[in-house]
Amino acid sequence: RRPNHDSTDECPKRKPKKKQNVSADGENQEEKVTSGSDSGLRVSSQVDEYEQDTSDEEDIRNTVGNIPMEWYKDYPHIGYDLDGKKIFKPIRNKDELDEFLDKMENPDYWRTIHDKMTGTDVCLSDEQVDLVHRLQQGKFGDVNFNEYEPAIDFFSNEVMIHPVTNRPADKRSFIPSLIEKEKVGKLVHAIKMGWIKPRRPKETAPQYYDLWAKEDPNAILGRHKMHIPAPKMRLPGHEESYNPPPEYLLTDEERQVWEQQDPDERKLSFLPQKYLSLRAVPAFSRFIQERFERCLDLYLCPRQRKMRVNVNPEDLIPKLPRPRDLQPFPTLQSLVYHGHSSLIRSISISPSGQWLVSGSDDCTVRFWEVCTTRCLKTMEVGGPVKSVAWNPAPSISLVAVSYGENVILVNPGLGDRLICSATDQLISSYEEPEEVKDQQVQWAVPEGKAQEQGQRLILTHPKAVKQVSWHGRGDYLACVMPDDGSSLQVVIHQVSRRRTQNPFHRNKGAVQCVSFHPSRPYFLVATQRYVRVYNLIKQELTKKLMANCKWISSMAVHPGGDNVICGSYDCRLAWFDLDLSTKPYKVLRHHKKALRGVAYHKHYPLFASGSDDGTVIVCHGMVYNVTACFCFSSLALSHISFYSVREWCVSIFSPQLFGLIDVYIANHIYSNLGCIVTITLPTLSSSQVRKASSSFALTLHCPKL
Amino acid sequence: MGGLQKKKYESGSATNYISRNKARKKLSLSLADFRRLCILKGIYPHEPKHKKKVNKGSTAQRTFYLLKDIRFLMHEPIVGKFREYKIFVRKLRKAYGKAEWGTAEKLRGNKPGYKLDHIIKERYPTFIDALRDVDDALSMCFLFSTFPRTGKCHVQTIELCRRLSVEWMNYIITLRSLRKVFLSIKGIYYQAEVLGQIITWLVPYQFAHDHPTDVDYRVMATFTELYTTLLGFINFRLYQTLNLVYPPKLDGKGEEESRAESEEDYAMDSERYMEVLLHLFCHSRFSHPCFGSLQEKLFEGLKFFLNREVPRESLAFVLRCFGAQVSWDKSLCIGSTYDVTDETITHHVVDRPSLEKQYINRYYVQPQWVYDCVNARMLLPVEDYFVGVTLPPHLSPFVEEKEGDYVPPEKLKLLALQKGERPEQEEEEEEEDNDDSEEEEDEDQSDDEDELKGMEEKCRVCRPIVLFQASSVKVTPGEAKPVNRQRAEQEAKAEEKRLAVMMMKKRDKYLYDKIMFGKKRSVREANKMSAKRKALDEASKANKKKKLKK
């Protein structure tokens, strides 16, 4: 099949094509062949007008048409001829045997075919057989037909003198198209309006060039003032190596911890791993994620300028004078006073500096000689002693002791006998006034044993007395009975006239402690948060000091009278300068726990604070700075006091749990004198006490004993 | 008095910041476009000092941009281009929907594009600024150049990244400015010094990526767009400083020519392009003897041969940076210059447990040797790196140990080697040193213990006396205690410091405590590490002994 022939000549093609189609199936093929051969026969016998017309290939011998011939199977005839007469089947009855014999004997059997239309057997001629063979091979029926005739180029480039068709030209071929005109008009309009742009010429400029050719080093945009450059990626450490030192690998426990942690909490974002060779290292599975996260950080993460503190921590420590240069101050534990069997609540030193009195929970008051730690006198009272105070007047030998609701005034009978007897005389010389006022406190004179012990007066208060405090001249005594709801919290006794007065008529909060001003007629009252300073002569409030703390525990007034320190239960020590302000000049927070007691030294600029954390801190406080000089630890402090009578001796007493009083003294004076004596002290049976006391050196540096 | 009452949030920091949504609305951009713009222009959110004030009293989480930044964005011509592109996409979609192929083609021909040159110039006014920021650009380009050329991003981008990264490496080789290399589990870190700027970048190992699903490739692509532009300009400038033509000519053909091949054999062409690129950097024809100090001539005169299993590109890059000659098997890649059989080869880099055919006159070393030599800036003894030998740990060259930090013993050894000491002696000394330092540390740790011990001693001294004294009060001459003056002085100093610390101001104290906490933690960690190492060493020693016995 040549497709090129299809287009060029149609006429010769038609017949063979049909025949080829037919040759595909068996039975029809033979029929058509016979009809073809018959038409050839017919040409010779009958000449009619339809000779050339091949379209009518109707079989004219039998007019039944193209029907299945089985329909005439049961009839004697097989159809009708042109004249309408029956065509009878040939009279023969060939059975299978005849057929077989015929097949065996007849040499032309293979070229004999049965014509179903006429019912006759036709023997094909040689030409016909040849034709069948050719058709079966897919060749043209005509032997002389040349399949490969040269094609005549009909529509060629050569201009013929005659037109191909003689058809007159359409009207539209010579009248310009309106539709096209419209379209072009639209395009022109669009171009004019700039809606259609001509195709851009391809850019010829190089992709990269010297961008910074004309760079101006000072050209920094305004925006860049606020610019915070992104930090660079963190550089990898040893643990990221493919072959790290073994200590960088995680142990099983660490690995478990790592796995359980939240990815954000992990210190390392990956598990360190060790590979024996570079060949064994696999791809890092989170590589793209990490790069992506970096991208996100770069454009999504809010940036903030953070001042990195690049300080040497040593620079932060304040430059204070060396404690050594600030001496004297107590540095060594030198004396321990054993004797009390329970907590010591309060101590006081005699104005002469020779004696020490201590009151304890074991219901005793003990009098000690300071230098020798010898207990000279023990006095039992009717309850746990809350407070003791030695009369500050050197001409009077009296000690106020408070226990329960009572305050007793004791003449210890120590020291100068003249003074003692003078004191006794002073007390006994009291004459009852004519008009006895009804007082809230009852004054009584003890008798018998109590008198022998030295008790001179007993003052019975309506409530428990917490603190007693002497006025500097030694005639007045203030007692504190803390009670939140009552106006009777502080009473002031005048010993010489055995009179009691209640200075305050209104309750201003629970009073914690009181103190007389050493030089001026002031009276300081510390409530929970404030220290009130009253003028006793004018009888008015002079100042109210705000302590900036939650609960004042103790207070001390400097002997000069200008400074006050307050200790509080919230670990603060507030230092007031009365001349400056009602606010603290300085607040120190060097204790870890509540402060229990504070004390001033009389001559040196020292103050001490004792706290529940078991430490006493001695500070050297000048106006320009405060330096902590010395800190020592002891157990459960309750009350501390400076020993500041003799110039050469700076010491601090700190009573401890289980009845010990430690004395720390400044050692340099003693060491100058160069006499070292070891003294030993009787110990207590309690193992706890031994533990506490044995941890200190028991060496006293002392000039003389 | 008088005057209008001041309203809240109408001045001050509240007006200096703008929230992201408001900024987006102000610029009338979609979120994606806004994001793209921020990436390209380098606009990032700021954390205000007083968030509540800025947030108009609310404490809700919000990201804030500087209002000035947003105003600055309003003048950006690229915003217009974004809009044009959006319109273009809409038109194209419409044309396709209506099957108007002509229109579609015309539209595509007029596809709007934009250039980032002015943005680069604006973000980096000077060349040094640009160099300072090139770290991320390099890492990104190296990552993108390893992507497969299917999906995820445009092939052109990958090729461009590859080209730029190869050009960069070529420059580094030419200038010999590579300083440090580190093989990590993530990839290979390189650090180079270019015009005084320290530049570090990370190259992944040559493996196919399994692309994660939780990564937005559009963001990455935007960054890459910016980074390729930046890197291209930087490369141009760097090549210019060396008086070299940019882009470098490949194999006699200009780059343009090689790209302009017909599109039919495109795949083959692009592959060939890659190889040719490789060739470029494998044989940089320019050698600048003027550059390069002694350290940069580390491998000068050595001839290396790379076996086929080693990472060829990385090794070739590193070796060439230090002046070595490199070659590999001819069948592996183009650019091999000499054969295995060459007698003058000095080092053969192998990464397999054993090698059948070995030549006598060359060292067979593992690749780590090359990297360790580079980091140590000296030729290390090859014995530790022979084929089949357990390698010494590979240390990070980026770690600079401060005082008190943990230093692995290998590093100490290396430092000693650099000083020129012999390794054997050093080991012993080192051990001694270690012991000393540990003792010191012990001392530090056991200060409290010492105090306790002292107390106990005192107790011992006291007790008999106390017992003796229980019977009668006596005064005996005391014993003079020997006083360790140094110790006493130290104690006094420590006490002094303690007291001074006690007197610190509250603010200073807070800071001081924080610093001290950090210090203590680092000391603790260092101690932990050294203890771990000690235990491991002992365990390994015991193992060795066992083996010997067997």
Side-chain angles (χ1 to χ4, degrees), chain A residues 5-24:
Chain A
H5 278 270
D6 270 355
S7 61
T8 47
D9 45 359
E10 287 188 0
C11 306
K13 181 199 94 181
R14 197 183 279 164
K15 228 183 202 170
K17 199 179 182 187
K18 224 173 195 175
K19 279 182 183 164
Q20 276 168 2
N21 285 343
V22 168
S23 69

PDB file of all heavy atoms in Angstrom, chain A residues 5-24:
ATOM      1  N   HIS A   5      -0.074   6.870  -3.803  1.00  0.00           N
ATOM      2  CA  HIS A   5      -0.907   6.524  -4.958  1.00  0.00           C
ATOM      3  C   HIS A   5      -2.342   6.803  -4.705  1.00  0.00           C
ATOM      4  O   HIS A   5      -3.093   7.055  -5.618  1.00  0.00           O
ATOM      5  CB  HIS A   5      -0.705   5.045  -5.278  1.00  0.00           C
ATOM      6  CG  HIS A   5       0.534   4.839  -6.088  1.00  0.00           C
ATOM      7  ND1 HIS A   5       0.510   4.874  -7.457  1.00  0.00           N
ATOM      8  CD2 HIS A   5       1.806   4.655  -5.710  1.00  0.00           C
ATOM      9  CE1 HIS A   5       1.739   4.698  -7.894  1.00  0.00           C
ATOM     10  NE2 HIS A   5       2.548   4.556  -6.849  1.00  0.00           N
ATOM     11  N   ASP A   6      -2.715   6.712  -3.491  1.00  0.00           N
ATOM     12  CA  ASP A   6      -4.098   6.985  -3.130  1.00  0.00           C
ATOM     13  C   ASP A   6      -4.541   8.332  -3.655  1.00  0.00           C
ATOM     14  O   ASP A   6      -5.619   8.493  -4.189  1.00  0.00           O
ATOM     15  CB  ASP A   6      -4.247   6.987  -1.608  1.00  0.00           C
ATOM     16  CG  ASP A   6      -4.568   5.583  -1.149  1.00  0.00           C
ATOM     17  OD1 ASP A   6      -4.755   4.730  -2.028  1.00  0.00           O
ATOM     18  OD2 ASP A   6      -4.606   5.364   0.069  1.00  0.00           O
ATOM     19  N   SER A   7      -3.670   9.276  -3.403  1.00  0.00           N
ATOM     20  CA  SER A   7      -4.080  10.644  -3.724  1.00  0.00           C
ATOM     21  C   SER A   7      -4.037  10.903  -5.237  1.00  0.00           C
ATOM     22  O   SER A   7      -4.808  11.679  -5.743  1.00  0.00           O
ATOM     23  CB  SER A   7      -3.176  11.626  -2.984  1.00  0.00           C
ATOM     24  OG  SER A   7      -1.856  11.434  -3.409  1.00  0.00           O
ATOM     25  N   THR A   8      -3.126  10.251  -5.924  1.00  0.00           N
ATOM     26  CA  THR A   8      -2.919  10.630  -7.327  1.00  0.00           C
ATOM     27  C   THR A   8      -3.961  10.063  -8.279  1.00  0.00           C
ATOM     28  O   THR A   8      -4.627  10.804  -8.988  1.00  0.00           O
ATOM     29  CB  THR A   8      -1.536  10.211  -7.800  1.00  0.00           C
ATOM     30  OG1 THR A   8      -1.331   8.865  -7.400  1.00  0.00           O
ATOM     31  CG2 THR A   8      -0.465  11.094  -7.203  1.00  0.00           C
ATOM     32  N   ASP A   9      -4.112   8.752  -8.286  1.00  0.00           N
ATOM     33  CA  ASP A   9      -5.116   8.233  -9.232  1.00  0.00           C
ATOM     34  C   ASP A   9      -6.130   7.378  -8.509  1.00  0.00           C
ATOM     35  O   ASP A   9      -5.804   6.448  -7.794  1.00  0.00           O
ATOM     36  CB  ASP A   9      -4.451   7.428 -10.351  1.00  0.00           C
ATOM     37  CG  ASP A   9      -3.418   6.489  -9.821  1.00  0.00           C
ATOM     38  OD1 ASP A   9      -3.211   6.493  -8.552  1.00  0.00           O
ATOM     39  OD2 ASP A   9      -2.850   5.745 -10.575  1.00  0.00           O
ATOM     40  N   GLU A  10      -7.338   7.748  -8.695  1.00  0.00           N
ATOM     41  CA  GLU A  10      -8.393   7.062  -7.961  1.00  0.00           C
ATOM     42  C   GLU A  10      -9.009   5.939  -8.789  1.00  0.00           C
ATOM     43  O   GLU A  10      -9.400   4.928  -8.257  1.00  0.00           O
ATOM     44  CB  GLU A  10      -9.468   8.066  -7.574  1.00  0.00           C
ATOM     45  CG  GLU A  10      -9.030   8.996  -6.456  1.00  0.00           C
ATOM     46  CD  GLU A  10     -10.182   9.837  -5.964  1.00  0.00           C
ATOM     47  OE1 GLU A  10     -11.299   9.702  -6.490  1.00  0.00           O
ATOM     48  OE2 GLU A  10      -9.945  10.617  -5.029  1.00  0.00           O
ATOM     49  N   CYS A  11      -9.076   6.146 -10.079  1.00  0.00           N
ATOM     50  CA  CYS A  11      -9.834   5.220 -10.908  1.00  0.00           C
ATOM     51  C   CYS A  11      -9.341   3.780 -10.865  1.00  0.00           C
ATOM     52  O   CYS A  11     -10.137   2.882 -10.634  1.00  0.00           O
ATOM     53  CB  CYS A  11      -9.815   5.691 -12.378  1.00  0.00           C
ATOM     54  SG  CYS A  11     -10.360   7.365 -12.513  1.00  0.00           S
ATOM     55  N   PRO A  12      -8.078   3.549 -11.054  1.00  0.00           N
ATOM     56  CA  PRO A  12      -7.662   2.145 -11.058  1.00  0.00           C
ATOM     57  C   PRO A  12      -7.701   1.538  -9.669  1.00  0.00           C
ATOM     58  O   PRO A  12      -7.699   0.339  -9.518  1.00  0.00           O
ATOM     59  CB  PRO A  12      -6.224   2.205 -11.571  1.00  0.00           C
ATOM     60  CG  PRO A  12      -5.772   3.598 -11.375  1.00  0.00           C
ATOM     61  CD  PRO A  12      -6.955   4.462 -11.254  1.00  0.00           C
ATOM     62  N   LYS A  13      -7.794   2.318  -8.764  1.00  0.00           N
ATOM     63  CA  LYS A  13      -7.668   1.810  -7.401  1.00  0.00           C
ATOM     64  C   LYS A  13      -8.924   1.088  -6.937  1.00  0.00           C
ATOM     65  O   LYS A  13      -8.844   0.084  -6.263  1.00  0.00           O
ATOM     66  CB  LYS A  13      -7.424   2.999  -6.480  1.00  0.00           C
ATOM     67  CG  LYS A  13      -7.260   2.619  -5.044  1.00  0.00           C
ATOM     68  CD  LYS A  13      -7.492   3.825  -4.181  1.00  0.00           C
ATOM     69  CE  LYS A  13      -8.935   3.891  -3.721  1.00  0.00           C
ATOM     70  NZ  LYS A  13      -9.161   5.081  -2.912  1.00  0.00           N
ATOM     71  N   ARG A  14     -10.042   1.610  -7.367  1.00  0.00           N
ATOM     72  CA  ARG A  14     -11.274   1.211  -6.710  1.00  0.00           C
ATOM     73  C   ARG A  14     -11.501  -0.293  -6.738  1.00  0.00           C
ATOM     74  O   ARG A  14     -11.712  -0.917  -5.725  1.00  0.00           O
ATOM     75  CB  ARG A  14     -12.457   1.918  -7.361  1.00  0.00           C
ATOM     76  CG  ARG A  14     -13.705   1.871  -6.490  1.00  0.00           C
ATOM     77  CD  ARG A  14     -14.863   2.511  -7.180  1.00  0.00           C
ATOM     78  NE  ARG A  14     -14.824   3.947  -7.058  1.00  0.00           N
ATOM     79  CZ  ARG A  14     -15.559   4.750  -7.851  1.00  0.00           C
ATOM     80  NH1 ARG A  14     -16.323   4.249  -8.790  1.00  0.00           N
ATOM     81  NH2 ARG A  14     -15.515   6.041  -7.690  1.00  0.00           N
ATOM     82  N   LYS A  15     -11.391  -0.860  -7.937  1.00  0.00           N
ATOM     83  CA  LYS A  15     -11.702  -2.280  -8.072  1.00  0.00           C
ATOM     84  C   LYS A  15     -10.768  -3.166  -7.239  1.00  0.00           C
ATOM     85  O   LYS A  15     -11.247  -3.958  -6.426  1.00  0.00           O
ATOM     86  CB  LYS A  15     -11.618  -2.684  -9.542  1.00  0.00           C
ATOM     87  CG  LYS A  15     -12.835  -3.477  -9.978  1.00  0.00           C
ATOM     88  CD  LYS A  15     -12.648  -3.898 -11.412  1.00  0.00           C
ATOM     89  CE  LYS A  15     -13.983  -4.216 -12.088  1.00  0.00           C
ATOM     90  NZ  LYS A  15     -13.772  -4.379 -13.550  1.00  0.00           N
ATOM     91  N   PRO A  16      -9.512  -3.019  -7.492  1.00  0.00           N
ATOM     92  CA  PRO A  16      -8.610  -3.924  -6.729  1.00  0.00           C
ATOM     93  C   PRO A  16      -8.784  -3.764  -5.228  1.00  0.00           C
ATOM     94  O   PRO A  16      -8.725  -4.735  -4.511  1.00  0.00           O
ATOM     95  CB  PRO A  16      -7.210  -3.486  -7.150  1.00  0.00           C
ATOM     96  CG  PRO A  16      -7.354  -2.251  -7.920  1.00  0.00           C
ATOM     97  CD  PRO A  16      -8.777  -2.158  -8.388  1.00  0.00           C
ATOM     98  N   LYS A  17      -9.054  -2.575  -4.826  1.00  0.00           N
ATOM     99  CA  LYS A  17      -9.189  -2.380  -3.384  1.00  0.00           C
ATOM    100  C   LYS A  17     -10.344  -3.210  -2.851  1.00  0.00           C
ATOM    101  O   LYS A  17     -10.233  -3.906  -1.859  1.00  0.00           O
ATOM    102  CB  LYS A  17      -9.427  -0.904  -3.092  1.00  0.00           C
ATOM    103  CG  LYS A  17      -9.107  -0.579  -1.654  1.00  0.00           C
ATOM    104  CD  LYS A  17      -9.330   0.876  -1.416  1.00  0.00           C
ATOM    105  CE  LYS A  17      -8.942   1.180   0.031  1.00  0.00           C
ATOM    106  NZ  LYS A  17      -9.298   2.545   0.353  1.00  0.00           N
ATOM    107  N   LYS A  18     -11.411  -3.107  -3.576  1.00  0.00           N
ATOM    108  CA  LYS A  18     -12.573  -3.866  -3.146  1.00  0.00           C
ATOM    109  C   LYS A  18     -12.260  -5.338  -3.110  1.00  0.00           C
ATOM    110  O   LYS A  18     -12.566  -6.046  -2.174  1.00  0.00           O
ATOM    111  CB  LYS A  18     -13.717  -3.601  -4.112  1.00  0.00           C
ATOM    112  CG  LYS A  18     -15.005  -3.368  -3.354  1.00  0.00           C
ATOM    113  CD  LYS A  18     -16.095  -2.945  -4.264  1.00  0.00           C
ATOM    114  CE  LYS A  18     -17.232  -2.371  -3.422  1.00  0.00           C
ATOM    115  NZ  LYS A  18     -18.288  -1.837  -4.300  1.00  0.00           N
ATOM    116  N   LYS A  19     -11.589  -5.741  -4.147  1.00  0.00           N
ATOM    117  CA  LYS A  19     -11.277  -7.154  -4.229  1.00  0.00           C
ATOM    118  C   LYS A  19     -10.343  -7.590  -3.114  1.00  0.00           C
ATOM    119  O   LYS A  19     -10.469  -8.673  -2.558  1.00  0.00           O
ATOM    120  CB  LYS A  19     -10.662  -7.476  -5.589  1.00  0.00           C
ATOM    121  CG  LYS A  19     -11.758  -7.625  -6.630  1.00  0.00           C
ATOM    122  CD  LYS A  19     -11.239  -7.983  -7.989  1.00  0.00           C
ATOM    123  CE  LYS A  19     -12.413  -8.043  -8.975  1.00  0.00           C
ATOM    124  NZ  LYS A  19     -11.951  -8.020 -10.364  1.00  0.00           N
ATOM    125  N   GLN A  20      -9.425  -6.710  -2.824  1.00  0.00           N
ATOM    126  CA  GLN A  20      -8.517  -7.049  -1.730  1.00  0.00           C
ATOM    127  C   GLN A  20      -9.289  -7.210  -0.438  1.00  0.00           C
ATOM    128  O   GLN A  20      -9.062  -8.095   0.345  1.00  0.00           O
ATOM    129  CB  GLN A  20      -7.481  -5.942  -1.562  1.00  0.00           C
ATOM    130  CG  GLN A  20      -6.326  -6.121  -2.507  1.00  0.00           C
ATOM    131  CD  GLN A  20      -5.460  -4.887  -2.546  1.00  0.00           C
ATOM    132  OE1 GLN A  20      -5.723  -3.944  -1.837  1.00  0.00           O
ATOM    133  NE2 GLN A  20      -4.474  -4.937  -3.399  1.00  0.00           N
ATOM    134  N   ASN A  21     -10.208  -6.286  -0.240  1.00  0.00           N
ATOM    135  CA  ASN A  21     -11.007  -6.381   0.981  1.00  0.00           C
ATOM    136  C   ASN A  21     -11.726  -7.702   1.039  1.00  0.00           C
ATOM    137  O   ASN A  21     -11.787  -8.342   2.075  1.00  0.00           O
ATOM    138  CB  ASN A  21     -12.042  -5.258   1.019  1.00  0.00           C
ATOM    139  CG  ASN A  21     -11.390  -3.926   1.354  1.00  0.00           C
ATOM    140  OD1 ASN A  21     -10.269  -3.944   1.847  1.00  0.00           O
ATOM    141  ND2 ASN A  21     -12.063  -2.846   1.061  1.00  0.00           N
ATOM    142  N   VAL A  22     -12.253  -8.052  -0.079  1.00  0.00           N
ATOM    143  CA  VAL A  22     -13.023  -9.283  -0.136  1.00  0.00           C
ATOM    144  C   VAL A  22     -12.145 -10.489   0.137  1.00  0.00           C
ATOM    145  O   VAL A  22     -12.522 -11.410   0.834  1.00  0.00           O
ATOM    146  CB  VAL A  22     -13.709  -9.400  -1.514  1.00  0.00           C
ATOM    147  CG1 VAL A  22     -14.268 -10.780  -1.725  1.00  0.00           C
ATOM    148  CG2 VAL A  22     -14.820  -8.371  -1.587  1.00  0.00           C
ATOM    149  N   SER A  23     -10.952 -10.427  -0.417  1.00  0.00           N
ATOM    150  CA  SER A  23     -10.088 -11.594  -0.321  1.00  0.00           C
ATOM    151  C   SER A  23      -9.771 -11.959   1.128  1.00  0.00           C
ATOM    152  O   SER A  23      -9.262 -13.015   1.404  1.00  0.00           O
ATOM    153  CB  SER A  23      -8.767 -11.319  -1.043  1.00  0.00           C
ATOM    154  OG  SER A  23      -8.049 -10.356  -0.326  1.00  0.00           O
ATOM    155  N   ALA A  24     -10.127 -11.081   2.019  1.00  0.00           N
ATOM    156  CA  ALA A  24      -9.823 -11.381   3.412  1.00  0.00           C
ATOM    157  C   ALA A  24     -10.667 -12.537   3.933  1.00  0.00           C
ATOM    158  O   ALA A  24     -10.211 -13.353   4.706  1.00  0.00           O
ATOM    159  CB  ALA A  24     -10.062 -10.137   4.269  1.00  0.00           C
TER     160      ALA A  24
END
